[in-house]
Amino acid sequence: MKSPYQGLKAVIATKHQKEKLVQRPFARGLGLEMVVPEHLDTDVLGTFTGEIPRPGTMDEVIVKKAKMGMEATGLSMGVASEGSFGPHPYIGFIAGDIEFLAFVDNERDFVLIERYITPKTNFAHTEANSIETIHDFLKNVGFPQHGLIVKPKQSELSTELYKGIGDYQALQKIILHSATLSPEGLAHIETDMRAHMNPLRQRAIRKVAFRLVRRLQTPCPLCQLPGWGLVGTEKGLPCESCGAPTEMVNQEVFGCVKCEYKETYPRADGLKTAKTCQCQCCNP
Ligand SMILES: [Zn+2]
Ligand SMILES: [Zn+2]
């Protein structure tokens, strides 16, 4: 099927060179060209380092961001991305990265948000008064290929914040300086999660871009709008011993970005039954 986006342009609202990550999948998969607006301060929608808090949920923020880009350029389609880092939502104690990518299409009047969850992130922080004590930390977070942010620990001086640190000499200097400004004599050192400073995150953004493009390649069987794909799951996978429904996912629900049409399929991984230990009847 021919892409409805062939030869068209969409704006990507980014200050952190995310266009480099999403340009290719959108161009190859859809024939859609990405344009970066020249003057756009997406920091009004919050920053990673927390100097400006983010208004609303992640979904609301990225849609707002995409629309800012569309307003700035007059284009009717826009893309925006955000990442969320912290304890992995399923594995818990391991750090995880959830990447969100929104596609706003005013021409066809829909918004599509795709997500990608991965435990492959270097999200971490530590404290130190010298580079000598944090060699393991630096190795684990992939420094200097991955950037760092340093500030004085427990200091009100929010201006004393250094982002995008990418070499040992600068890091040592900034740690020593930050430590002298901290009431505890320590520098707070954290991974810089901005896309252009973080190759692991770049990989995750590329993945979510491919997923979004795949959905935009898939038309709704009923109304033919692009964006058909997985929209939810239904629990109730039968127990292997007694057949009673369990809390495990039984079916995957596919839906349209706009119309109400849905189709339900068995789990993509082919699992037909749940283990007895998952069953409330056999194993209450
Ligand atoms: Zn539809
Ligand atoms: Zn059972």
Side-chain angles (χ1 to χ4, degrees), residues 220-225 228 256-261:
C220 167
L222 190 68
C223 75
Q224 303 301 320
L225 268 186
W228 177 260
C256 177
V257 288
K258 198 165 179 191
C259 82
E260 294 297 307
Y261 185 64

Side-chain angles (χ1 to χ4, degrees), residues 124-257:
H125 67 89
T126 189
E127 292 156 3
N129 54 17
S130 161
I131 204 168
E132 313 306 330
T133 56
I134 54 165
H135 284 301
D136 285 349
F137 173 83
L138 295 178
K139 195 169 157 233
N140 289 338
V141 299
F143 184 82
Q145 290 78 19
H146 291 72
L148 290 173
I149 292 174
V150 176
K151 59 189 174 189
K153 192 193 170 193
Q154 280 189 350
S155 165
E156 299 305 313
L157 299 164
S158 62
T159 48
E160 292 287 341
L161 174 103
Y162 298 87
K163 299 191 225 177
I165 304 164
D167 74 80
Y168 284 94
Q169 227 183 338
L171 181 64
Q172 176 70 316
K173 235 171 95 185
I174 293 165
I175 288 176
L176 293 174
H177 174 68
S178 299
T180 60
L181 294 174
S182 155
E184 290 178 51
L186 287 170
H188 174 94
I189 302 142
E190 63 184 47
T191 45
D192 193 335
M193 303 311 290
R194 294 174 301 160
H196 61 304
M197 287 292 145
N198 199 302
L200 272 178
R201 210 183 144 214
Q202 289 167 15
R203 211 189 289 177
I205 293 172
R206 262 188 230 111
K207 286 250 189 196
V208 75
F210 274 110
R211 281 195 181 186
L212 186 73
V213 165
R214 201 171 305 144
R215 280 191 67 169
L216 291 171
Q217 288 171 327
T218 317
C220 167
L222 190 68
C223 75
Q224 303 301 320
L225 268 186
W228 177 260
L230 187 69
V231 293
T233 53
E234 283 172 9
K235 292 175 185 176
L237 193 68
C239 165
E240 62 183 357
S241 309
C242 74
T246 66
E247 285 292 297
M248 285 182 72
V249 169
N250 189 30
Q251 307 236 275
E252 295 180 346
V253 183
F254 281 58
C256 177
V257 288

Side-chain angles (χ1 to χ4, degrees), residues 239-244 276 279-283:
C239 165
E240 62 183 357
S241 309
C242 74
T276 310
C279 177
Q280 284 296 316
C281 302
C282 300
N283 202 5

